[in-house]
Amino acid sequence: MGRGFFRLLFATSLLLILLDVCWGSTIGICYGRNADDLPTPDKAAQLVQLHNIKYVRIYDSNIQVLKAFANTGVELMVGVPNSDLLAFSQFQSNADTWLKNSILPYYPATKITYITVGAEVTESSSNFSAQVVPAMRNVLTALKKVGLSKKIKLSSTHSLGVLSRSFPPSAGAFNSSHASFLKPLLEYLAENQSPFMVDIYPYYAYRDSPSNGTLDYALFEASSEVIDPNTGLLYTNMLDAQIDAIYYALMALNFKTIKVMVTETGWPAKGSPKETAATPDNAQTYNTNLIRHVINDTGTPAKPGERLDVYIFSLFNENRKPGLESERNWGLFYPDQTSVYNLDFTGKGSVDMTTGTNVTSSNGTTTTTTWCIASSKASELDLQNALDWACGPGNVDCRAIQPSQPCFEPDNTVAHASFAFNTYYQQNGATDIACSFGGTGIKVDKNPSYDNCIYMTTGSNKTVSSNTTAISSTSSSTRNGVQAWIFSCLLVTLMSFLSAETR
């Protein structure tokens, strides 16, 4: 009996370790809708899938949005707005009714994994803080009644203003004026293994206090490190320092097991005349470097290798947001679904116009270039629809397939679609999803260029950013290989213990 119990306990521990090892960092996107010119939720969901985005945060539980993401596999974070906190905190029946009417009809077809109860309540002029934890506990009770408390996690989002001090990171401390709110909240998060959700914007820190850090430091481009004098840890970017300030603030209150999740970050592509750092180039640089940093699973200096889930703000520009011009220009896409700037969610790098068939990465390995063309088996209607999308919302420059241009001949849909498909494919990281086009695109390893019609390829040896990508991809592949090896070893060990137990 004793031996069997300890074998089972050890096997369970191994399984938990195994699961933790194989669960990497993730990048998601915030889908705000404070605008009057946005595409329908169905089109937004299609755009998200087209760019292979797997995690989306919304700020309410809008029925049309929940329906749009059904059966997409995208994991959704939904929200209980601050305006509903009072009702949810006062009566259990309000939380029960909301869950019954707003969540259960769409779950699990719509893959809801998180519910945020309140958002940045300490920044609100209304006194919502005291209502958060009671509302959260009522929502948890509602989830328990239907058996979903282990599948859907609850938390509440905060601004970095919840800290009274964030530099150096090791001196991070929560504002004492929020103590009565934070103590029960942190106890709830620790008890239920929920993350501390925080919205972090290096852009604001740089804009409001440029003397406290360089632009390159905010953009992940710094050539030198910032040293924490208390720990000796070196910081190469502002985001890591701000995240670690949260971790140190948690540890100062003896909450050492709570994970930090970044539920908003990003960079505006346009601002008022005084907001000189709000440019498309800076926005592209920040978000590109952010994605690479996260997917490489490097963690932060204080938490090396720690899983980090990050949501980029935001999917679209939102024209009804108040404030400075930058507030309306955080989007990756315009309302017509064209890109504000090119961003590769895979972290694979920049695009060039090389015509070679092999690309050599920084470690000397050679990989075969692939192209994406239209399938000759696809129907004319499907191809035309996909071509229209690529040349419209897909943001492909289709001038080369216009009359008298190099790729106009042969004048047929398959040829024109092939050129457009490939351009989109290469501009979006040459991933499998970027060549899907509803099943009408296929990948080939033979260069389809002809005469003066040159098909784009994704290069990895032409620019600094591409070299960085090659290094990142290599480290990512190595990490995945190590994880697979550890997974296999632990699995074999686990099976042997379970097998011994049954004998």
Side-chain angles (χ1 to χ4, degrees):
M1 178 70 176
R3 287 179 58 198
F5 172 77
F6 284 111
R7 279 177 176 166
L8 182 59
L9 182 62
F10 184 67
T12 303
S13 300
L14 280 174
L15 182 58
L16 291 175
I17 293 171
L18 179 152
L19 291 173
D20 186 62
V21 165
C22 299
W23 192 261
S25 302
T26 62
I27 284 283
I29 197 162
C30 300
Y31 174 21
R33 306 191 313 282
N34 193 0
D36 56 19
D37 56 355
L38 297 184
T40 64
D42 283 338
K43 290 183 178 179
Q46 291 172 5
L47 184 67
V48 164
Q49 292 180 84
L50 190 65
H51 288 272
N52 203 27
I53 300 169
K54 300 296 186 184
Y55 305 88
V56 171
R57 177 190 175 189
I58 63 173
Y59 295 81
D60 53 19
S61 53
N62 181 275
I63 292 174
Q64 297 306 316
V65 175
L66 296 185
K67 286 181 178 179
F69 281 96
N71 302 310
T72 61
V74 174
E75 293 191 18
L76 218 59
M77 179 186 295
V78 305
V80 174
N82 292 348
S83 56
D84 290 339
L85 291 176
L86 179 60
F88 278 48
S89 65
Q90 287 184 328
F91 301 104
Q92 179 64 50
S93 59
N94 290 333
D96 293 342
T97 300
W98 173 79
L99 190 70
K100 178 182 178 182
N101 295 336
S102 299
I103 301 297
L104 296 183
Y106 315 103
Y107 183 91
T110 300
K111 199 173 180 181
I112 300 167
T113 53
Y114 284 100
I115 297 174
T116 59
V117 182
E120 297 190 358
V121 293
T122 58
E123 298 295 311
S124 174
S125 57
S126 302
N127 186 22
F128 292 121
S129 298
Q131 302 163 11
V132 171
V133 175
M136 198 177 292
R137 291 200 178 280
N138 284 344
V139 175
L140 178 64
T141 298
L143 288 170
K144 286 181 176 178
K145 289 179 180 178
V146 294
L148 294 179
S149 61
K150 301 297 184 183
K151 296 181 179 179
I152 301 177
K153 291 288 185 181
L154 303 179
S155 191
S156 186
T157 66
H158 311 275
S159 75
L160 200 63
V162 75
L163 296 181
S164 61
R165 186 174 181 179
S166 60
F167 189 84
S170 59
F174 288 113
N175 192 319
S176 59
S177 65
H178 303 318
S180 60
F181 156 63
L182 284 172
K183 185 176 184 297
L185 174 70
L186 296 177
E187 288 173 347
Y188 172 90
L189 298 182
E191 176 187 343
N192 293 279
Q193 298 179 325
S194 293
F196 185 91
M197 296 179 169
V198 61
D199 303 336
I200 299 180
Y201 289 99
Y203 168 76
Y204 288 134
Y206 173 77
R207 184 196 69 180
D208 298 340
S209 302
S211 60
N212 290 338
T214 66
L215 179 60
D216 284 347
Y217 183 61
L219 294 174
F220 296 86
E221 296 273 288
S223 57
S224 59
E225 298 92 354
V226 174
I227 302 175
D228 185 319
N230 299 325
T231 63
L233 294 175
L234 304 179
Y235 288 86
T236 59
N237 66 83
M238 190 181 294
L239 183 76
D240 278 355
Q242 293 174 326
I243 292 172
D244 277 354
I246 294 286
Y247 270 119
Y248 279 110
L250 289 168
M251 288 188 285
L253 296 180
N254 205 32
F255 290 98
K256 300 178 180 180
T257 60
I258 297 176
K259 309 296 185 185
V260 173
M261 175 185 287
V262 179
T263 40
E264 285 184 16
T265 192
W267 199 280
K270 183 180 179 182
S272 62
K274 293 183 178 180
E275 296 181 292
T276 56
T279 67
D281 284 346
N282 285 343
Q284 182 183 42
T285 298
Y286 178 83
N287 285 324
T288 297
N289 289 335
L290 169 72
I291 291 171
R292 291 173 180 163
H293 183 62
V294 171
I295 65 176
N296 282 338
D297 278 336
T298 52
T300 65
K303 295 283 185 176
E306 185 78 47
R307 170 180 172 165
L308 180 61
D309 296 336
V310 174
Y311 288 77
I312 295 176
F313 188 88
S314 131
L315 186 59
F316 296 111
N317 283 339
E318 299 173 74
N319 67 358
R320 294 180 61 187
K321 294 194 71 175
L324 296 175
E325 183 67 19
S326 62
E327 292 301 314
R328 294 173 287 282
N329 288 279
W330 290 85
L332 304 185
F333 298 93
Y334 294 109
D336 65 1
Q337 301 178 70
T338 57
S339 300
V340 177
Y341 48 86
N342 188 43
L343 185 65
D344 176 16
F345 270 84
T346 68
K348 289 187 177 179
S350 60
V351 176
D352 66 19
M353 293 292 291
T354 180
T355 58
T357 58
N358 294 305
V359 175
T360 302
S361 66
S362 61
N363 66 356
T365 60
T366 301
T367 57
T368 301
T369 300
T370 57
W371 292 262
C372 176
I373 63 173
S375 171
S376 59
K377 297 180 181 179
S379 70
E380 181 79 4
L381 178 61
D382 288 342
L383 281 178
Q384 188 62 54
N385 287 338
L387 175 60
D388 292 343
W389 187 92
C391 295
N395 209 28
V396 169
D397 184 352
C398 291
R399 287 176 292 182
I401 56 177
Q402 300 304 311
S404 76
Q405 296 303 309
C407 301
F408 177 70
E409 297 290 346
D411 181 16
N412 60 62
T413 308
V414 172
H416 291 176
S418 291
F419 179 86
F421 285 11
N422 182 70
T423 304
Y424 180 87
Y425 170 70
Q426 306 295 350
Q427 288 177 342
N428 288 274
T431 62
D432 289 343
I433 191 70
C435 188
S436 60
F437 294 100
T440 62
I442 57 173
K443 290 169 61 176
V444 296
D445 57 12
K446 181 179 180 181
N447 193 338
S449 302
Y450 57 94
D451 299 332
N452 292 324
C453 181
I454 307 302
Y455 277 57
M456 179 186 290
T457 62
T458 301
S460 60
N461 59 347
K462 295 297 185 70
T463 65
V464 172
S465 60
S466 293
N467 284 333
T468 302
T469 298
I471 295 169
S472 298
S473 298
T474 301
S475 63
S476 178
S477 298
T478 302
R479 184 187 69 250
N480 290 339
V482 171
Q483 287 181 346
W485 179 81
I486 295 173
F487 184 97
S488 300
C489 291
L490 289 174
L491 185 59
V492 169
T493 306
L494 175 61
M495 290 177 66
S496 67
F497 269 92
L498 293 177
S499 176
E501 177 63 22
T502 59
R503 289 198 297 268

